[in-house]
């Protein structure tokens, strides 16, 4: 009886997944109410379509860029807040505010703020001679703006995990390093990061996987534009299945995206296991 809820949850996940996988071997579309069996034709079309590789490249750029910046900033913020000061305790509470805002709402707010003519960002930059920047009207600007919004929303998530990791580290190695006269950089490089890295890598896994299947932030901010410059795989699947009503083809995109996320997760989780073993070897 104890495993019944888990079985029900597993069934609720596997049934739509299996149904979607079944649809991908047909050519379901709004224009074809009587679909034919096509086998792996949809996958062949995907991998021979240049738009797929363009979307895959944009997805990788977005995921790597967002995860890297969020990791660096999150660890830096956690190190600043690790000291038990009044300011640190207040900022620690303020830090979670972006996480309380739905990503699509945050993207809409930033879209208004980044407007070239009436946006507050250009207004604040105008005294420095940087007003009038077309933030989301160029391919590079749109991608960087989308990554910036993702960083604003999810850096607190990484910082909170890193801060929890910092507070759980043993104090004896740091006390011994201080007695030996070790500097801050040596202590950080040889003690703090090796023991903290498993916590940081957990945050990296979550953020990288989420960034690979991003939809809400980019769609609310740029709708995949200008042109197809920010059309990631998730948005490409939406366009094919919903806007163009090629249901099987869009589902095939989602299966390919699932496979990419699954493989990336396997690699990162295995690496996490090795890092945890190395961290356990650091003298306590």
């Amino acid at each position: 009886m104890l495993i019944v809820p888990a079985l029900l949850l597993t069934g609720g996940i596997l049934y739509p997944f299996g149904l979607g996988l079944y649809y991908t071997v047909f050519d379901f579309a709004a224009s074809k109410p009587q679909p034919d069996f096509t086998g792996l034709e949809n996958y062949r079309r995907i991998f021979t379509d240049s738009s797929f590789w363009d979307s895959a490249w944009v997805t990788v750029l977005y995921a790597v860029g967002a995860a890297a910046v969020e990791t660096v900033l999150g660890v830096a913020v956690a190190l600043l807040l690790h000291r038990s000061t009044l300011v640190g305790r207040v900022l620690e509470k303020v830090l979670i505010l972006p996480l309380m805002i739905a990503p699509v709402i945050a993207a809409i707010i930033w879209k208004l703020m980044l407007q070239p003519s009436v946006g507050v960002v250009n207004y604040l930059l105008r005294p420095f001679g940087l007003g009038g920047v077309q933030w989301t009207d160029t391919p590079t600007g749109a991608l960087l703006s989308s990554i910036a919004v993702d960083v604003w929303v999810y850096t607190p998530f990484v910082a909170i995990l890193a801060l929890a990791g910092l507070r759980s580290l043993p104090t004896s190695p740091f006390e011994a390093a201080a007695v030996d006269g070790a500097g801050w950089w040596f202590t950080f490089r040889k003690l703090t990061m090796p023991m903290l890295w498993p916590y940081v890598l957990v945050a990296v896994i979550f953020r990288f996987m989420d960034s690979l299947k991003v939809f809400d932030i980019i769609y609310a901010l740029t709708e995949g534009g200008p042109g197809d410059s920010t059309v990631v795989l998730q948005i490409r699947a939406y366009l094919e299945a919903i806007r163009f009503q090629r249901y099987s083809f869009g589902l095939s995109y989602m299966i390919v995206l699932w496979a990419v996320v699954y493989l990336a997760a396997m690699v990162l989780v295995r690496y996490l296991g090795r890092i945890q073993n190395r961290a356990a070897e650091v003298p306590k």
Side-chain angles (χ1 to χ4, degrees), residues 1-282:
M1 294 298 294
L2 291 175
I3 66 172
V4 170
L7 292 176
L8 293 175
L9 180 61
T10 303
I13 294 173
L14 292 181
Y15 174 74
F17 177 80
L19 190 61
L21 191 62
Y22 169 77
Y23 285 155
T24 62
V25 297
F26 291 87
D27 57 352
F28 281 94
S31 60
K32 195 167 187 179
Q34 299 297 328
D36 298 321
F37 177 80
T38 58
L40 301 178
E41 176 63 20
N42 287 320
Y43 297 101
R44 187 198 67 79
R45 288 176 55 196
I46 286 176
F47 289 114
T48 57
D49 188 358
S50 61
S51 62
F52 165 77
W53 297 107
D54 292 339
S55 296
W57 176 243
V58 173
T59 302
V60 171
L61 287 179
Y62 182 93
V64 172
V69 175
E70 288 162 11
T71 300
V72 174
L73 290 181
V75 172
V77 171
L79 290 171
L80 291 175
L81 297 181
H82 184 47
R83 298 179 179 179
S84 298
T85 63
L86 177 60
V87 176
R89 288 193 294 270
V90 172
L91 292 178
E92 183 180 341
K93 306 302 185 293
V94 177
L95 187 66
I96 65 173
L97 289 179
L99 293 176
M100 300 172 64
I101 302 175
V104 66
I105 301 300
I108 293 173
I109 294 172
W110 276 97
K111 184 176 183 178
L112 296 174
M113 294 172 59
L114 294 174
Q115 285 292 324
S117 57
V118 298
V120 67
V121 174
N122 277 349
Y123 175 79
L124 295 175
L125 293 177
R126 192 169 295 123
F128 303 97
L130 299 176
V133 178
Q134 306 292 325
W135 294 102
T136 59
D137 294 340
T138 62
T140 302
L143 181 61
L144 293 178
S145 298
S146 301
I147 292 175
V149 175
D150 196 294
V151 168
W152 183 83
V153 174
Y154 290 111
T155 294
F157 172 77
V158 180
I160 290 172
L161 285 182
L163 184 60
L166 284 171
R167 290 177 175 173
S168 67
L169 298 182
T171 59
S172 55
F174 300 96
E175 294 172 352
V179 170
D180 292 338
W184 178 87
W185 175 245
F186 180 87
T187 303
F188 174 77
R189 185 165 53 91
K190 295 295 185 178
L191 291 178
T192 305
M193 279 310 298
M195 290 189 290
L196 182 63
W197 186 234
Y199 300 92
V200 176
L201 189 57
V202 169
V204 171
I205 292 173
F206 277 105
R207 291 306 315 131
F208 186 69
M209 291 172 58
D210 280 344
S211 298
L212 283 175
K213 53 189 181 66
V214 65
F215 177 85
D216 44 11
I217 290 178
I218 293 182
Y219 193 79
L221 187 66
T222 67
E223 295 187 13
D228 289 344
S229 59
T230 56
V231 175
V232 293
L233 290 176
Q234 186 89 305
I235 293 180
R236 181 71 67 184
Y238 163 80
L239 293 176
E240 293 291 346
I242 305 301
R243 182 170 296 182
F244 305 145
Q245 298 183 333
R246 297 194 286 256
Y247 310 125
S248 292
F249 196 52
L251 280 169
S252 300
Y253 262 98
M254 291 304 301
I255 296 299
V256 171
L257 178 59
W258 167 82
V260 171
V261 174
Y262 179 77
L263 292 174
M266 284 185 59
V267 172
L268 289 173
V269 168
R270 289 181 179 179
Y271 181 63
L272 173 62
R274 292 198 296 267
I275 290 298
Q276 287 175 331
N277 293 334
R278 292 177 188 175
E281 296 173 1
V282 176

